[in-house]
Structure formats: structure tokens, C-alpha cells
Amino acid sequence: MAEVRFDDRIAVVTGAGGGLGREYALLLANRGAKLVINDLGGAMDGTGAGTTAAEKVCQEIKDAGGEAVPNYDSVADLEGAQNIIKTAIDAFGKVDILVNNAGILRDKSFVKMEMEDYDKVIAVHLNGTFYCCKAAFPHMRDNAYGRIVSAASGAGVYGNFGQANYAAAKMGIVGLTHVLKQEGAKYNIMANVIVPIAGTRMTATVMPPNLLELFKPEFVAPMVAWACSEKCAFSGYTFVAGAGYYSRTAFMEGPGVFFSPDEPITLEMVDGNIDKITSLEGAATYDNATAQTAHALSHLNLG
Ligand code: NAI
């Protein structure tokens, strides 16, 4: 198999001072990319800050013969996000790859969740991803090349007790990616999502030690790096990776039922057809919202 390389590619990885982000950065650097290692360096709940985490990963990359510069800004701050991308432009002249990976957790059951827990988690995950994309996208458009990979979570895709804030933020990122897919297509900008499963400080308290060992963060990195590569002609995809498992998840829509709008459509017609309405047998995923609308109209003779 031909080696997948990133020579002359400039990559920004947010939250790359540890956990999954560090693994993504190390693999990209190992294959020739030059890196901006962003990390705020705080605690898992988003408090505190420090430069050590980003510096250490930069040093690791340099020790292995690669090139990397650190950045300590918060993605949750628009100016910070702009500065993260500016760090790439100042050091290397462009940005080809953006991995939106920075994240925090503030888990609580929905009833007990304080609005501050919601605001902070939305700020880092959803706003942080939006801001970094906003700062990087024009550079990618001007260079007619871009690869964006943003971290979502099974907690958002399928739900997880105590993570209402986090799940909402993560699925916001999926929606954002679906739009960046549309708007980036003509500029060769591919935007995709990773749903990782990995033993990191984020999962250390919820995964038993034997599972933590199986879900090595380095197993996620090849999927993310592939989606960051020239090989990746997919956009709007959500990849899943963990413990040696690699897959794709997607919104699927069942074929549904069609009632004629020429007759009154009653509540009882919905009730009587609920099995067909909810069936996913023969389900499809649509390329964009217009294609979905076309399916909804497909039983009508519109001339
Ligand atoms: P981690 O806590 O080891 O890494 C997150 C990094 O982001 C930390 O180094 C932290 O300092 C940095 N960070 C936090 N807030 C920041 C901010 N405002 N600006 C810049 N950097 C900031 O956690 P892990 O597990 O490596 O998570 C990475 C991403 O993957 C996160 O987005 C997380 O939600 C996502 N994820 C992880 C899963 C897992 O199984 N570990 C599962 C699903 C999603």
C-alpha cells in the first residue's frame, strides 16, 4: 500500500497537548505535516490554563525530526481562534488541515445541570469549532484546499446519561459540518466528523481500567489522519473509531408513507401507519436538505 503523506501540508490540531489530539498531531507530523499544537492547558472542566502541555508535544515532534509551533489560546474565544489560525499563517504561510479536537466535560444529570455547565461546554465544543472553522475557511478557500475534521461523540449521536450539554454541542458540530460540506465543495474543502472512543483523561473515570487499555487513543489517529489527507474525497461523513473498530455513522431516513394531500390527512391516518412511518427498512441518507425535500415531493405529480 502506498504511504499516505502530508509533506508540505500545514495542520492545526486544537487541544493537541494530550489525549487524542496529541496522537493526531504525532501521526500527522510523522508523515511530514508541519503542525500548530494548540492547547489551553487547563483542567478537564475547562478551568485553569498553562503552556506545558502544548510545549511538550511540540518538543516530542521536534525530537522526532518534525516541525511544530505551540499556541495556547482558547478555542472558545473568537480572537483566540483567529490567533490559532494566525499562528499557522505566521509560522508556515497557510493552513491546509484543521482538526477541531479541544474539549471539556461538565457532566451532570439534566435536572441538576447549571446553566454555567451548559454555557461552558457549548462555548468550547460548538463555538470553538465554529470559530476555528470561521478563521481557517477563507485561507482554505483561497488555496483551493482544505481538510477539516471535528470531534463529535457517541453521546451526541446516540445519547448518554448526564451529558445533555455535551451531546447538544457535539450534534451542533455535526450540523455545522453538513453545511461546510456544501459550502466547501467547490474549493476542495472536505469537512468530516470523528466519533472517537478512547481511553483518555476524559474517559478515565467512566471506563474500567481494562477497557481504557483496549481503547488506545493511537487507534483513532489513522482514521482522523486519513480524513485529513488528500485521499479523502468524502465530505459530511461521520467516522467512528475505537479499539481497532472503524466505521461510518449517518442520519438515515426511512422510505416513509405517502398520503395524498388532495384528501384530508388525519391524526388517525398517522396512528394507523405508525409502523411504516417509523420503519427504517430501506432507509437512505440524503446528500443535502434539497434531496430530502425532493423525496417528500416524489409522490406528487408536479408536472
Ligand atoms: P482530553 O481532555 O485528553 O483532551 C482535550 C484537550 O483539549 C486537553 O488537552 C485540553 O487542555 C484541551 N482544551 C480544553 N479546552 C480547550 C480550549 N478552550 N482551547 C484549547 N484547548 C482546550 O480529552 P480527549 O479524550 O483526548 O478528547 C478529545 C476530543 O475527543 C474532545 O473533543 C472530546 O469531546 C472528544 N471525544 C473523546 C472521546 C473519548 O472516548 N476520549 C469520546 C467522544 C469524543
Side-chain angles (χ1 to χ4, degrees), residues 14-21 24 38-42 44 73-76 100-104 124-125 151-154 166 170 195-203 207:
T14 69
L20 285 160
Y24 305 156
N38 157 264
D39 207 292
L40 182 64
M44 208 174 65
D73 284 296
S74 171
V75 296
N100 291 299
N101 166 79
I104 63 167
V124 175
H125 291 276
S153 167
Y166 182 72
K170 288 306 200 185
V195 168
I197 317 170
T200 64
R201 71 173 186 177
M202 226 181 230
T203 43
M207 266 191 203

Side-chain angles (χ1 to χ4, degrees), residues 6-247:
F6 295 91
D7 303 302
D8 303 319
R9 292 291 175 208
I10 310 305
V12 173
V13 182
T14 69
L20 285 160
R22 173 177 163 276
E23 293 296 338
Y24 305 156
L26 293 181
L27 180 54
L28 292 170
N30 177 270
R31 294 306 179 91
K34 296 177 181 133
L35 267 295
V36 172
I37 302 297
N38 157 264
D39 207 292
L40 182 64
M44 208 174 65
D45 66 356
T47 55
T51 58
T52 318
E55 271 162 10
K56 270 178 78 175
V57 176
C58 280
Q59 198 54 52
E60 272 185 85
I61 290 172
K62 286 183 195 158
D63 290 346
E67 278 189 60
V69 292
N71 170 281
Y72 317 112
D73 284 296
S74 171
V75 296
D77 171 48
L78 178 59
E79 275 180 29
Q82 286 165 339
N83 201 39
I84 295 168
I85 302 305
K86 186 173 178 297
T87 304
I89 306 299
D90 290 351
F92 304 120
K94 61 173 183 166
V95 55
D96 299 305
I97 295 163
L98 169 64
V99 183
N100 291 299
N101 166 79
I104 63 167
L105 276 188
R106 288 183 169 224
D107 294 358
K108 275 189 195 122
S109 66
F110 186 59
V111 170
K112 290 191 184 140
M113 189 170 284
E114 304 286 343
M115 287 319 296
E116 195 196 345
D117 299 321
Y118 173 77
D119 291 339
K120 285 252 159 37
V121 165
I122 294 286
V124 175
H125 291 276
L126 183 55
N127 296 352
T129 299
F130 193 98
Y131 295 158
C132 289
C133 289
K134 190 102 175 84
F137 198 94
H139 297 285
M140 293 175 168
R141 179 201 56 201
D142 292 350
N143 291 331
Y145 188 85
R147 294 290 181 271
I148 298 171
V149 180
S150 305
S153 167
V157 177
Y158 299 112
N160 203 23
F161 193 96
Q163 296 198 306
N165 50 358
Y166 182 72
K170 288 306 200 185
M171 291 314 276
I173 291 170
V174 176
L176 168 65
T177 302
H178 289 158
V179 174
L180 294 184
K181 162 194 156 175
Q182 312 283 322
E183 299 193 11
K186 69 175 171 193
Y187 307 113
N188 191 17
I189 300 173
M190 310 292 168
N192 291 293
V193 169
I194 180 72
V195 168
I197 317 170
T200 64
R201 71 173 186 177
M202 226 181 230
T203 43
T205 53
V206 290
M207 266 191 203
N210 57 329
L211 280 192
L212 280 174
E213 186 52 34
L214 289 174
F215 285 100
K216 290 190 198 313
E218 58 261 42
F219 292 157
V220 181
M223 187 73 252
V224 169
W226 186 87
C228 289
S229 77
E230 288 168 27
K231 299 255 174 194
C232 180
F234 297 127
S235 202
Y237 275 35
T238 297
F239 298 105
V240 183
Y245 166 67
Y246 301 87
S247 186

